[in-house]
Amino acid sequence: MGVRITLRSVAEAAGVSTAAVSYAFNRPDRLSSEMRSRILAVARELGYSGPDAAARSLRTGRANAIGVIFTTGLTYAFSDPYVLALLGGLAETLAHSRTSLVLIPFAPVVAGLSDAEVRESLDAVHRAVIDGAVADGLTDDHPAVRALSDRSLPLVRSSDTAAGRCVMIDDRQAGREIGRHLADLGHHEVAVVVSSPSEPGCAVTPADEATLYPYSRHRLAGIREALPAGARVRVVSGGNNADATGRLAATALLAAPDRPTAIAADSDVLAAAVVEVATVQGLRVGHDVSVTGFDDVPLAASTGLTTVRQPIHEKGRLMARMLLDPDNTPNRVTLPTELVVRSSTGPVPNR
Protein backbone atom coordinates (compact mmCIF):
# COMPACT_ATOMS: atom_id res chain seq x y z
CA MET A 1 0.00 0.00 0.00
CA GLY A 2 1.41 3.41 -0.98
CA VAL A 3 2.16 6.18 1.47
CA ARG A 4 -0.76 8.59 1.90
CA ILE A 5 0.20 12.08 0.79
CA THR A 6 -1.04 14.75 3.19
CA LEU A 7 -0.85 18.51 3.49
CA ARG A 8 2.06 18.01 5.92
CA SER A 9 3.88 15.83 3.37
CA VAL A 10 3.73 18.65 0.83
CA ALA A 11 4.86 21.21 3.41
CA GLU A 12 7.92 19.14 4.31
CA ALA A 13 8.83 18.52 0.68
CA ALA A 14 8.44 22.19 -0.20
CA GLY A 15 10.19 23.41 2.94
CA VAL A 16 7.26 25.56 4.04
CA SER A 17 4.68 25.55 6.83
CA THR A 18 1.41 23.60 6.60
CA ALA A 19 -0.40 26.97 6.72
CA ALA A 20 1.44 28.04 3.55
CA VAL A 21 0.27 24.90 1.73
CA SER A 22 -3.30 25.54 2.87
CA TYR A 23 -3.07 29.15 1.65
CA ALA A 24 -1.78 27.96 -1.74
CA PHE A 25 -5.02 26.06 -2.28
CA ASN A 26 -7.56 28.20 -0.41
CA ARG A 27 -6.17 31.70 0.15
CA PRO A 28 -3.79 32.48 -2.75
CA ASP A 29 -3.85 36.20 -1.82
CA ARG A 30 -1.81 35.34 1.31
CA LEU A 31 1.22 34.17 -0.73
CA SER A 32 3.46 35.57 -3.42
CA SER A 33 2.76 34.11 -6.86
CA GLU A 34 6.26 32.61 -6.89
CA MET A 35 5.80 30.75 -3.60
CA ARG A 36 2.31 29.54 -4.53
CA SER A 37 3.56 28.22 -7.88
CA ARG A 38 6.41 26.37 -6.13
CA ILE A 39 4.06 24.77 -3.59
CA LEU A 40 1.53 23.71 -6.24
CA ALA A 41 4.34 22.22 -8.36
CA VAL A 42 5.50 20.12 -5.40
CA ALA A 43 1.90 19.07 -4.69
CA ARG A 44 1.42 17.95 -8.30
CA GLU A 45 4.66 16.00 -8.23
CA LEU A 46 3.55 14.17 -5.07
CA GLY A 47 0.01 13.60 -6.39
CA TYR A 48 -1.68 15.79 -3.77
CA SER A 49 -4.95 17.37 -4.98
CA GLY A 50 -5.70 19.63 -2.01
CA PRO A 51 -7.02 19.67 1.58
CA ASP A 52 -9.85 17.26 2.34
CA ALA A 53 -13.17 19.17 2.22
CA ALA A 54 -14.86 17.09 4.90
CA ALA A 55 -11.96 17.42 7.32
CA ARG A 56 -11.70 21.15 6.72
CA SER A 57 -15.43 21.62 7.36
CA LEU A 58 -15.14 19.75 10.67
CA ARG A 59 -12.35 22.09 11.77
CA THR A 60 -13.93 25.35 10.64
CA GLY A 61 -17.60 24.47 11.04
CA ARG A 62 -18.24 25.53 7.43
CA ALA A 63 -18.09 23.66 4.13
CA ASN A 64 -18.68 26.76 1.95
CA ALA A 65 -21.13 24.69 -0.06
CA ILE A 66 -24.90 24.62 -0.50
CA GLY A 67 -26.74 21.44 -1.52
CA VAL A 68 -29.56 21.23 -4.05
CA ILE A 69 -31.89 18.24 -3.64
CA PHE A 70 -32.96 16.80 -7.00
CA THR A 71 -35.84 14.35 -7.26
CA THR A 72 -35.15 13.89 -10.95
CA GLY A 73 -32.17 12.27 -12.63
CA LEU A 74 -29.24 14.67 -12.86
CA THR A 75 -29.04 14.18 -16.63
CA TYR A 76 -32.68 15.20 -16.98
CA ALA A 77 -32.22 18.16 -14.62
CA PHE A 78 -29.76 19.76 -17.04
CA SER A 79 -32.30 19.60 -19.87
CA ASP A 80 -35.15 21.19 -17.88
CA PRO A 81 -35.38 24.96 -18.51
CA TYR A 82 -37.00 25.57 -15.11
CA VAL A 83 -34.18 23.79 -13.26
CA LEU A 84 -31.53 25.61 -15.30
CA ALA A 85 -33.07 28.99 -14.48
CA LEU A 86 -33.27 28.11 -10.78
CA LEU A 87 -29.65 26.94 -10.71
CA GLY A 88 -28.63 30.13 -12.52
CA GLY A 89 -30.20 32.25 -9.80
CA LEU A 90 -28.58 30.20 -7.04
CA ALA A 91 -25.16 30.34 -8.71
CA GLU A 92 -25.35 34.11 -9.28
CA THR A 93 -25.71 34.77 -5.55
CA LEU A 94 -23.37 32.04 -4.34
CA ALA A 95 -20.56 33.14 -6.67
CA HIS A 96 -20.14 36.41 -4.76
CA SER A 97 -19.31 34.50 -1.57
CA ARG A 98 -17.23 31.81 -3.31
CA THR A 99 -19.74 29.20 -2.17
CA SER A 100 -20.12 25.96 -4.14
CA LEU A 101 -23.24 24.13 -5.30
CA VAL A 102 -23.52 20.43 -4.50
CA LEU A 103 -26.12 18.51 -6.51
CA ILE A 104 -27.72 15.76 -4.40
CA PRO A 105 -29.89 13.21 -6.23
CA PHE A 106 -32.85 11.54 -4.56
CA ALA A 107 -35.21 8.88 -5.86
CA PRO A 108 -38.01 10.72 -7.71
CA VAL A 109 -40.76 8.61 -6.14
CA VAL A 110 -40.52 7.38 -2.56
CA ALA A 111 -43.83 5.48 -2.51
CA GLY A 112 -43.22 1.88 -3.50
CA LEU A 113 -39.48 1.92 -2.81
CA SER A 114 -38.00 -0.65 -0.47
CA ASP A 115 -36.37 0.49 2.77
CA ALA A 116 -32.97 -0.30 1.23
CA GLU A 117 -33.68 1.90 -1.81
CA VAL A 118 -34.79 4.80 0.39
CA ARG A 119 -31.66 4.39 2.52
CA GLU A 120 -29.53 4.51 -0.64
CA SER A 121 -31.03 7.86 -1.60
CA LEU A 122 -30.74 9.14 1.97
CA ASP A 123 -27.07 8.17 2.07
CA ALA A 124 -26.26 10.93 -0.42
CA VAL A 125 -28.05 13.45 1.82
CA HIS A 126 -26.26 12.25 4.96
CA ARG A 127 -22.81 12.24 3.34
CA ALA A 128 -23.04 15.63 1.63
CA VAL A 129 -20.52 18.15 2.99
CA ILE A 130 -22.76 21.24 2.97
CA ASP A 131 -23.79 24.18 5.14
CA GLY A 132 -27.44 24.17 4.06
CA ALA A 133 -29.69 23.07 1.24
CA VAL A 134 -32.37 24.06 -1.25
CA ALA A 135 -35.26 21.71 -2.01
CA ASP A 136 -37.70 22.41 -4.83
CA GLY A 137 -41.26 21.13 -4.40
CA LEU A 138 -40.74 18.80 -1.43
CA THR A 139 -43.24 18.37 1.41
CA ASP A 140 -42.52 18.48 5.15
CA ASP A 141 -42.66 14.67 5.41
CA HIS A 142 -40.29 13.94 2.52
CA PRO A 143 -37.37 11.74 3.70
CA ALA A 144 -34.77 14.19 2.36
CA VAL A 145 -36.37 17.05 4.29
CA ARG A 146 -36.43 14.97 7.48
CA ALA A 147 -32.79 13.93 6.98
CA LEU A 148 -31.64 17.54 6.62
CA SER A 149 -33.65 18.44 9.72
CA ASP A 150 -31.96 15.62 11.64
CA ARG A 151 -28.59 17.14 10.68
CA SER A 152 -29.84 20.58 11.86
CA LEU A 153 -28.96 22.05 8.47
CA PRO A 154 -30.74 25.19 7.24
CA LEU A 155 -33.20 24.43 4.44
CA VAL A 156 -35.03 26.71 2.02
CA ARG A 157 -37.88 25.34 -0.05
CA SER A 158 -40.01 26.54 -2.96
CA SER A 159 -43.29 25.28 -1.48
CA ASP A 160 -45.34 26.50 1.46
CA THR A 161 -44.21 25.15 4.80
CA ALA A 162 -45.31 25.68 8.37
CA ALA A 163 -41.73 25.36 9.58
CA GLY A 164 -38.59 26.64 7.91
CA ARG A 165 -37.90 29.12 5.15
CA CYS A 166 -39.41 29.30 1.68
CA VAL A 167 -39.42 31.33 -1.52
CA MET A 168 -42.64 30.52 -3.31
CA ILE A 169 -45.37 31.65 -5.65
CA ASP A 170 -49.12 31.40 -5.08
CA ASP A 171 -49.65 28.34 -7.29
CA ARG A 172 -53.33 28.13 -6.44
CA GLN A 173 -53.99 31.74 -7.47
CA ALA A 174 -51.97 31.21 -10.65
CA GLY A 175 -54.15 28.18 -11.40
CA ARG A 176 -57.24 30.35 -10.89
CA GLU A 177 -55.90 32.81 -13.47
CA ILE A 178 -55.58 29.99 -16.00
CA GLY A 179 -59.03 28.61 -15.18
CA ARG A 180 -60.63 32.07 -15.36
CA HIS A 181 -59.00 32.73 -18.74
CA LEU A 182 -60.29 29.45 -20.16
CA ALA A 183 -63.74 30.03 -18.64
CA ASP A 184 -63.93 33.50 -20.23
CA LEU A 185 -63.23 31.84 -23.58
CA GLY A 186 -66.17 29.46 -23.03
CA HIS A 187 -64.26 26.25 -22.27
CA HIS A 188 -66.11 23.63 -20.19
CA GLU A 189 -64.16 20.52 -21.31
CA VAL A 190 -60.66 20.91 -19.88
CA ALA A 191 -57.84 18.42 -19.40
CA VAL A 192 -54.96 19.14 -17.01
CA VAL A 193 -51.60 17.47 -17.73
CA VAL A 194 -49.44 17.17 -14.60
CA SER A 195 -46.00 15.87 -13.74
CA SER A 196 -46.68 12.52 -12.13
CA PRO A 197 -45.05 9.19 -11.23
CA SER A 198 -47.84 7.48 -13.18
CA GLU A 199 -47.31 6.34 -16.76
CA PRO A 200 -47.72 9.27 -19.19
CA GLY A 201 -51.19 9.40 -20.72
CA CYS A 202 -52.85 7.57 -17.82
CA ALA A 203 -55.72 9.17 -15.94
CA VAL A 204 -54.80 10.54 -12.52
CA THR A 205 -57.50 9.54 -10.05
CA PRO A 206 -58.50 11.66 -7.04
CA ALA A 207 -56.58 9.20 -4.86
CA ASP A 208 -53.50 9.58 -7.07
CA GLU A 209 -53.64 13.38 -6.77
CA ALA A 210 -52.37 13.12 -3.21
CA THR A 211 -49.02 11.86 -4.59
CA LEU A 212 -48.51 14.81 -6.93
CA TYR A 213 -45.95 17.53 -6.29
CA PRO A 214 -47.41 20.32 -4.12
CA TYR A 215 -47.27 22.82 -7.00
CA SER A 216 -49.26 20.48 -9.26
CA ARG A 217 -51.95 19.97 -6.62
CA HIS A 218 -52.31 23.71 -5.99
CA ARG A 219 -52.43 24.66 -9.68
CA LEU A 220 -55.00 21.95 -10.36
CA ALA A 221 -57.15 23.14 -7.43
CA GLY A 222 -57.02 26.72 -8.70
CA ILE A 223 -58.07 25.73 -12.22
CA ARG A 224 -61.04 23.77 -10.87
CA GLU A 225 -62.13 26.66 -8.66
CA ALA A 226 -62.18 29.15 -11.53
CA LEU A 227 -64.01 27.03 -14.09
CA PRO A 228 -67.82 27.29 -14.14
CA ALA A 229 -70.04 24.86 -12.28
CA GLY A 230 -70.60 21.76 -14.38
CA ALA A 231 -67.26 22.03 -16.19
CA ARG A 232 -65.55 18.70 -16.77
CA VAL A 233 -61.90 18.49 -15.68
CA ARG A 234 -59.82 15.48 -16.61
CA VAL A 235 -56.37 14.99 -15.03
CA VAL A 236 -53.75 13.10 -17.03
CA SER A 237 -50.19 12.16 -16.17
CA GLY A 238 -47.46 13.89 -18.16
CA GLY A 239 -44.82 11.59 -16.69
CA ASN A 240 -41.57 13.19 -15.58
CA ASN A 241 -42.11 16.59 -17.21
CA ALA A 242 -40.20 15.82 -20.39
CA ASP A 243 -40.98 16.40 -24.04
CA ALA A 244 -41.29 12.67 -24.82
CA THR A 245 -43.70 11.97 -21.95
CA GLY A 246 -45.70 15.10 -22.78
CA ARG A 247 -46.21 13.82 -26.32
CA LEU A 248 -47.60 10.53 -24.98
CA ALA A 249 -50.04 12.38 -22.75
CA ALA A 250 -51.11 14.66 -25.61
CA THR A 251 -51.59 11.73 -28.00
CA ALA A 252 -53.89 9.98 -25.51
CA LEU A 253 -55.98 13.11 -24.94
CA LEU A 254 -56.29 14.22 -28.56
CA ALA A 255 -57.19 10.71 -29.75
CA ALA A 256 -60.16 10.50 -27.38
CA PRO A 257 -63.61 10.70 -29.03
CA ASP A 258 -64.58 13.36 -26.47
CA ARG A 259 -61.44 15.42 -26.98
CA PRO A 260 -61.16 18.33 -24.52
CA THR A 261 -61.45 21.83 -25.97
CA ALA A 262 -58.61 23.05 -23.76
CA ILE A 263 -55.52 21.40 -22.27
CA ALA A 264 -53.75 23.08 -19.33
CA ALA A 265 -50.27 21.70 -18.64
CA ASP A 266 -48.46 22.49 -15.41
CA SER A 267 -45.21 23.29 -17.22
CA ASP A 268 -44.22 24.86 -20.53
CA VAL A 269 -42.26 21.72 -21.44
CA LEU A 270 -45.43 19.60 -21.31
CA ALA A 271 -47.53 22.31 -22.98
CA ALA A 272 -45.07 22.61 -25.89
CA ALA A 273 -45.30 18.84 -26.39
CA VAL A 274 -49.11 19.14 -26.56
CA VAL A 275 -48.81 21.89 -29.18
CA GLU A 276 -46.42 19.73 -31.20
CA VAL A 277 -48.74 16.69 -31.24
CA ALA A 278 -51.83 18.79 -32.00
CA THR A 279 -50.09 20.46 -34.93
CA VAL A 280 -48.92 17.12 -36.36
CA GLN A 281 -52.52 15.88 -36.14
CA GLY A 282 -53.70 18.84 -38.20
CA LEU A 283 -55.37 20.73 -35.36
CA ARG A 284 -55.11 24.51 -35.21
CA VAL A 285 -53.83 25.39 -31.75
CA GLY A 286 -55.82 28.33 -30.41
CA HIS A 287 -58.77 27.45 -32.68
CA ASP A 288 -59.51 23.71 -32.59
CA VAL A 289 -57.90 23.24 -29.19
CA SER A 290 -56.50 25.69 -26.66
CA VAL A 291 -53.28 24.97 -24.72
CA THR A 292 -51.75 26.66 -21.68
CA GLY A 293 -48.43 26.14 -19.90
CA PHE A 294 -46.67 27.35 -16.79
CA ASP A 295 -43.31 29.12 -16.06
CA ASP A 296 -42.79 31.24 -19.24
CA VAL A 297 -39.41 29.72 -20.04
CA PRO A 298 -37.87 30.80 -23.40
CA LEU A 299 -39.62 28.11 -25.45
CA ALA A 300 -43.03 29.49 -24.43
CA ALA A 301 -42.71 32.66 -26.51
CA SER A 302 -41.37 30.81 -29.55
CA THR A 303 -44.27 28.32 -29.30
CA GLY A 304 -46.89 31.05 -28.84
CA LEU A 305 -47.91 29.58 -25.48
CA THR A 306 -50.35 31.23 -23.15
CA THR A 307 -48.67 30.63 -19.81
CA VAL A 308 -48.05 31.88 -16.29
CA ARG A 309 -44.80 33.77 -15.87
CA GLN A 310 -42.95 33.19 -12.63
CA PRO A 311 -39.56 34.74 -11.69
CA ILE A 312 -37.55 31.50 -11.54
CA HIS A 313 -34.10 33.09 -11.60
CA GLU A 314 -35.11 35.49 -8.82
CA LYS A 315 -36.47 32.55 -6.82
CA GLY A 316 -33.07 30.84 -6.92
CA ARG A 317 -31.27 34.08 -6.09
CA LEU A 318 -33.43 34.71 -3.01
CA MET A 319 -33.15 31.10 -1.80
CA ALA A 320 -29.37 31.41 -1.84
CA ARG A 321 -29.51 34.75 -0.01
CA MET A 322 -31.68 33.22 2.74
CA LEU A 323 -29.04 30.55 3.35
CA LEU A 324 -26.06 32.91 3.20
CA ASP A 325 -27.54 35.76 5.24
CA PRO A 326 -30.35 34.38 7.45
CA ASP A 327 -30.24 37.31 9.89
CA ASN A 328 -30.99 39.91 7.22
CA THR A 329 -33.53 38.08 5.07
CA PRO A 330 -37.18 37.18 5.74
CA ASN A 331 -38.25 33.61 6.48
CA ARG A 332 -40.91 33.62 3.81
CA VAL A 333 -41.19 35.35 0.43
CA THR A 334 -44.07 35.07 -2.05
CA LEU A 335 -43.08 36.19 -5.54
CA PRO A 336 -45.60 37.57 -8.06
CA THR A 337 -46.86 35.73 -11.15
CA GLU A 338 -48.46 37.00 -14.34
CA LEU A 339 -50.74 35.37 -16.89
CA VAL A 340 -49.22 35.92 -20.35
CA VAL A 341 -51.79 35.44 -23.10
CA ARG A 342 -50.52 34.36 -26.52
CA SER A 343 -51.93 32.62 -29.59
CA SER A 344 -52.28 29.11 -28.13
CA THR A 345 -55.64 29.93 -26.53
CA GLY A 346 -58.86 31.07 -28.14
CA PRO A 347 -62.67 30.79 -27.93
CA VAL A 348 -64.18 27.35 -27.55
CA PRO A 349 -64.69 25.84 -31.05
CA ASN A 350 -68.09 25.00 -32.45
CA ARG A 351 -68.55 21.28 -32.82
Side-chain angles (χ1 to χ4, degrees):
M1 181 179 295
V3 176
R4 179 172 177 265
I5 303 301
T6 65
L7 182 144
R8 184 175 296 279
S9 307
V10 176
E12 291 173 353
V16 299
S17 67
T18 54
V21 178
S22 179
Y23 290 154
F25 283 92
N26 302 309
R27 298 292 300 276
D29 56 302
R30 295 289 188 93
L31 301 174
S32 68
S33 58
E34 181 182 351
M35 177 173 284
R36 182 170 186 261
S37 297
R38 181 163 63 85
I39 292 172
L40 293 179
V42 172
R44 281 195 299 272
E45 185 178 340
L46 295 177
Y48 179 73
S49 59
D52 180 70
R56 183 170 63 248
S57 69
L58 288 173
R59 290 193 302 272
T60 65
R62 284 193 58 78
N64 288 327
I66 296 300
V68 182
I69 307 295
F70 279 107
T71 54
T72 59
L74 292 184
T75 302
Y76 162 75
F78 283 99
S79 67
D80 186 314
Y82 171 89
V83 173
L84 291 176
L86 187 72
L87 287 175
L90 288 165
E92 179 182 302
T93 298
L94 296 178
H96 296 300
S97 62
R98 303 178 75 176
T99 301
S100 302
L101 271 177
V102 178
L103 308 184
I104 306 171
F106 203 97
V109 183
V110 176
L113 292 182
S114 67
D115 290 343
E117 289 170 321
V118 173
R119 282 196 299 271
E120 184 178 344
S121 279
L122 282 172
D123 186 50
V125 181
H126 288 304
R127 287 187 295 105
V129 183
I130 54 176
D131 299 312
V134 165
D136 187 50
L138 300 187
T139 56
D140 289 341
D141 60 351
H142 192 279
V145 172
R146 294 201 303 267
L148 291 165
S149 177
D150 291 342
R151 291 184 59 185
S152 298
L153 287 174
L155 175 65
V156 178
R157 281 182 281 167
S158 63
S159 53
D160 199 4
T161 171
R165 297 182 156 222
C166 60
V167 180
M168 51 181 273
I169 62 171
D170 190 337
D171 285 293
R172 196 174 191 122
Q173 178 57 32
R176 290 190 195 103
E177 291 292 323
I178 294 170
R180 190 175 301 119
H181 175 64
L182 294 176
D184 289 345
L185 293 171
H187 293 280
H188 290 243
E189 290 282 337
V190 178
V192 181
V193 180
V194 295
S195 300
S196 165
S198 303
E199 287 296 315
C202 292
V204 176
T205 67
D208 294 333
E209 289 179 19
T211 67
L212 299 176
Y213 285 110
Y215 69 83
S216 292
R217 295 200 305 270
H218 294 316
R219 293 171 194 177
L220 174 59
I223 290 171
R224 281 178 170 145
E225 288 169 4
L227 288 172
R232 181 187 179 195
V233 178
R234 284 171 268 181
V235 187
V236 172
S237 169
N240 62 353
N241 191 42
D243 180 66
T245 56
R247 288 198 299 269
L248 291 173
T251 300
L253 281 170
L254 296 175
D258 55 347
R259 185 182 74 224
T261 64
I263 299 175
D266 71 0
S267 78
D268 290 337
V269 171
L270 294 175
V274 174
V275 169
E276 179 185 349
V277 171
T279 303
V280 168
Q281 292 188 6
L283 298 172
R284 296 170 301 162
V285 175
H287 296 274
D288 301 317
V289 63
S290 287
V291 181
T292 68
F294 205 103
D295 293 331
D296 200 30
V297 297
L299 68 82
S302 60
T303 311
L305 271 178
T306 292
T307 188
V308 170
R309 177 179 296 156
Q310 66 161 314
I312 308 167
H313 186 92
E314 178 68 2
K315 182 188 288 186
R317 198 179 66 79
L318 289 176
M319 293 173 107
R321 277 192 59 204
M322 280 185 179
L323 289 169
L324 294 176
D325 191 13
D327 293 333
N328 295 301
T329 50
N331 287 331
R332 177 190 181 95
V333 174
T334 302
L335 296 173
T337 60
E338 176 190 359
L339 180 68
V340 180
V341 178
R342 298 192 178 100
S343 61
S344 69
T345 52
V348 63
N350 293 321
R351 291 185 173 176

